[in-house]
Amino acid sequence: MSDRTELIRPQLYGKNLDAPTTVLVLDDNKLIRNVLYIGLKKKGYDVKTAKTIDEAVTIAKSPGVDIAIVDYGLGEKLTGFDAITTLQRNHYLPVILMSARNTTLDGLDLGHESGLHYKTRGFVRKGDTTTFVDDIVRHVDRVFSPETERTFNYPVGYRFGQYISKEQWRIGSIAEVHRGKFVDSDTGVESENTYAIKVMRAPSDLCGRRVFLALMVYGWDSCKQYFNLCKRLSDAPASKNLVHLEHCNSIDSPGDSGPIRYFIEEFINGPTLREYLDTRESGILPMNQFLEIFSQAASGLNRLHKVGLAHRDVVPYNILLENIESNIPRVVITDFGSTRRIRDHREPVVMSSFAYIAPEQLRGKPGAIQADRWALGICMYEALTGVRPFQTSSDLEPRGKPLPFKQACERDEKLAESILHDTIIPPSVMKQQRITDGYITCPSAQEPIPEKIDNMIMNLLVKGLARMKLSSAITRMNEVARSFKRAKRRPTIDF
């Protein structure tokens, strides 16, 4: 099997993610089932039909079903609302309600009632066959269309167990983060300490129910297990470069969003490395700051590796910077949702951007220490040159505009081929090339990359598994940092 074929057939815990969106149609009218089957098939959707709620539940147990279209009048003792409750509560399925009339027998507006109390994704009235099918297709398309901009699901003041949101802090592709306080259940008094409440995003935000099931349901027990391992590790004094973890929990929620999974962590009042790079001239760090940030980041990762854990999602968004402009900055690694034991040989979970994925991961091998080293090397390369060693047209797109999973895979196919086969240009050469081309104009950003750092990054980006150990990389950065300090006294020193 070629690398190309493996790339565009991604799986997560054995579930196909790039298969066509599957629609479940629940209606006791055979004609309506057939009409919707034909209409949705023409639009590229896979369709399954059911006559009764029991049939629908059997079909919904399949991880491949993504959305349900339910008729309100099922000709049974139960109504469409009962079916919606069952499909949402037990199977986390988004639902579109349809009906031949606009109101219930009690005179309640069906569209308003279904949206307000049952959190459906739309209401469609049965009418002219062509118009009706087109309306259904538009509603389904809207559910699976990518957001133009990510938005928070939970408002300020929302209670996550004993924690309350005080501010919507930042939002990512997998989770949203709130700044929050602990609230004593007996007295109602809020704690003085501030915490980061990291809430996993709803199925619709995670590119559909299949991804949500794989990440948030099937993998939740493993996620809790490794969270607790990392918590014990973060409690140790030697783990100052790992974010301190408190606990993880799950609470029920209305509609199809499934259980709310959230983590409580130490609150770091500072930017991510990604945010900080975006504020820098040409996206480049000065060498003294580069050494400070990455020696600490490497120390945090090395601490994980020493106890047999691999992070598996080392990207600039997961490196937090506290007091970065001071003389005593603190750099911490966060986001342990992908962390696994180094010898965990289950099918790999691709969580981060393709731009930071190691070649062996693209070939279907589990990510481990070597993949962490590779990803850190990519982060280093980017911090010194303003670009990653492997670029794609998607890098030019505005941030915060996610694509459906299948399209994302197709978009990044060329990038993955480049990671697998292209030769990496050394960061020193790339930086000089960008200076020559006029992309790096700020004098402070034009300082040369020391040879030791250049070689270190290239050793972290070896395409085999013989990459430089992080302990060696830390030693190398400390050596160069000492050279920089001596250079202040002796400007002619040769790095």
Side-chain angles (χ1 to χ4, degrees):
M1 184 179 288
S2 68
D3 293 327
R4 176 190 176 110
T5 303
E6 290 178 5
L7 169 67
I8 61 176
R9 293 291 179 218
Q11 291 196 338
L12 196 57
Y13 291 104
K15 309 297 182 294
N16 279 318
L17 298 181
D18 65 341
T21 298
T22 301
V23 181
L24 166 62
V25 176
L26 171 57
D27 196 312
D28 62 340
N29 186 318
K30 184 177 181 180
L31 175 61
I32 296 296
R33 294 200 303 271
N34 290 340
V35 166
L36 287 177
Y37 181 90
I38 295 170
L40 289 165
K41 274 284 189 180
K42 285 182 179 179
K43 297 295 184 179
Y45 291 103
D46 191 13
V47 186
K48 298 181 183 296
T49 63
K51 180 180 179 180
T52 66
I53 293 179
D54 288 342
E55 289 179 13
V57 167
T58 299
I59 295 171
K61 291 178 180 178
S62 165
V65 179
D66 300 290
I67 188 170
I69 300 171
V70 176
D71 182 37
Y72 176 74
L74 291 173
E76 305 177 0
K77 293 181 179 179
L78 302 177
T79 69
F81 285 160
D82 298 305
I84 291 171
T85 301
T86 299
L87 294 173
Q88 288 180 339
R89 181 174 298 166
N90 299 326
H91 306 287
Y92 320 124
L93 268 177
V95 176
I96 294 172
L97 183 68
M98 58 183 176
S99 177
R101 56 176 185 259
N102 289 325
T103 61
T104 68
L105 294 176
D106 298 327
L108 296 175
D109 182 275
L110 271 174
H112 180 267
E113 187 73 8
S114 64
L116 179 65
H117 296 293
Y118 295 91
K119 308 298 181 185
T120 59
R121 299 309 180 90
F123 171 72
V124 177
R125 190 176 186 280
K126 295 178 181 178
D128 176 79
T129 302
T130 303
T131 305
F132 164 59
V133 172
D134 287 343
D135 285 346
I136 288 288
V137 170
R138 277 196 294 273
H139 276 77
V140 174
D141 286 343
R142 190 181 302 125
V143 172
F144 293 101
S145 294
E147 303 167 341
T148 55
E149 184 178 353
R150 292 189 181 117
T151 56
F152 285 88
N153 286 313
Y154 305 100
V156 172
Y158 197 94
R159 289 286 293 266
F160 302 94
Q162 287 188 264
Y163 293 83
I164 186 171
S165 168
K166 306 301 288 186
E167 180 184 0
Q168 295 169 328
W169 187 245
R170 57 169 57 98
I171 194 165
S173 58
I174 302 296
E176 59 185 73
V177 182
H178 295 246
R179 181 180 64 82
K181 297 281 189 179
F182 175 83
V183 180
D184 188 284
S185 57
D186 295 326
T187 64
V189 176
E190 296 180 2
S191 66
E192 293 184 6
N193 293 337
T194 299
Y195 298 91
I197 306 171
K198 182 176 181 180
V199 192
M200 300 297 103
R201 293 170 67 77
S204 56
D205 298 330
L206 292 174
C207 305
R209 172 176 175 262
R210 275 174 265 185
V211 179
F212 176 79
L213 286 174
L215 295 180
M216 298 296 101
V217 179
Y218 298 136
W220 181 244
D221 288 340
S222 293
C223 198
K224 288 192 294 184
Q225 173 190 348
Y226 285 101
F227 182 94
N228 290 330
L229 280 174
C230 293
K231 172 175 168 44
R232 290 196 292 272
L233 182 63
S234 72
D235 288 340
S239 300
K240 66 177 183 178
N241 297 121
L242 298 176
V243 72
H244 183 78
L245 307 175
E246 295 294 332
H247 73 268
C248 57
N249 203 357
S250 173
I251 56 178
D252 291 332
S253 67
D256 59 34
S257 59
I260 300 175
R261 317 287 200 185
Y262 64 93
F263 304 88
I264 306 299
E265 302 177 354
E266 171 189 11
F267 181 76
I268 302 296
N269 190 13
T272 65
L273 176 60
R274 171 78 275 148
E275 292 166 344
Y276 190 66
L277 288 175
D278 288 344
T279 67
R280 303 292 305 179
E281 178 74 26
S282 305
I284 292 174
L285 295 177
M287 184 53 62
N288 62 333
Q289 204 170 48
F290 168 88
L291 295 170
E292 182 67 52
I293 289 173
F294 282 99
S295 62
Q296 290 194 46
S299 296
L301 273 182
N302 199 41
R303 176 69 176 153
L304 273 179
H305 295 170
K306 282 183 176 180
V307 297
L309 296 174
H311 187 279
R312 303 199 309 171
D313 194 14
V314 180
V315 296
Y317 289 105
N318 290 335
I319 299 175
L320 301 179
L321 313 177
E322 189 174 47
N323 301 322
I324 190 59
E325 300 293 349
S326 71
N327 293 326
I328 48 171
R330 181 185 172 214
V331 180
V332 298
I333 303 294
T334 187
D335 195 348
F336 300 102
S338 299
T339 301
R340 293 293 182 268
R341 290 193 187 279
I342 289 166
R343 299 186 181 278
D344 190 339
H345 295 299
R346 294 181 307 167
E347 194 165 4
V349 182
V350 176
M351 296 279 286
S352 60
S353 164
F354 274 1
Y356 300 89
I357 291 174
E360 63 271 16
Q361 289 179 295
L362 289 174
R363 292 190 172 99
K365 298 179 181 179
I369 280 182
Q370 291 83 2
D372 282 356
R373 294 173 185 168
W374 171 278
L376 188 65
I378 298 290
C379 293
M380 291 178 173
Y381 193 107
E382 184 176 6
L384 288 181
T385 66
V387 295
R388 293 185 288 271
F390 307 102
Q391 293 289 98
T392 178
S393 58
S394 65
D395 293 326
L396 304 177
E397 298 173 2
R399 298 190 192 281
K401 291 192 174 182
L403 289 174
F405 196 88
K406 183 179 179 181
Q407 291 183 32
C409 291
E410 292 171 349
R411 175 200 63 187
D412 287 337
E413 180 181 346
K414 187 177 294 185
L415 171 62
E417 290 289 336
S418 178
I419 292 173
L420 288 169
H421 305 299
D422 290 356
T423 300
I424 298 174
I425 299 174
S428 58
V429 176
M430 175 61 76
K431 183 172 184 177
Q432 186 56 52
Q433 180 179 316
R434 299 193 76 233
I435 292 173
T436 302
D437 292 342
Y439 290 107
I440 302 175
T441 57
C442 178
S444 63
Q446 294 183 358
E447 60 182 334
I449 298 175
E451 183 179 354
K452 286 184 177 180
I453 298 300
D454 203 47
N455 291 337
M456 176 195 72
I457 294 174
M458 292 301 289
N459 284 332
L460 287 170
L461 297 179
V462 171
K463 290 194 179 182
L465 297 181
R467 295 179 188 130
M468 174 181 279
K469 294 181 179 179
L470 291 184
S471 57
S472 300
I474 294 167
T475 300
R476 184 74 58 86
M477 285 186 280
N478 288 338
E479 289 174 355
V480 175
R482 287 193 293 271
S483 297
F484 264 75
K485 290 180 180 178
R486 291 196 300 270
K488 291 181 179 179
R489 296 189 296 271
R490 295 182 292 165
T492 58
I493 190 167
D494 182 9
F495 294 127

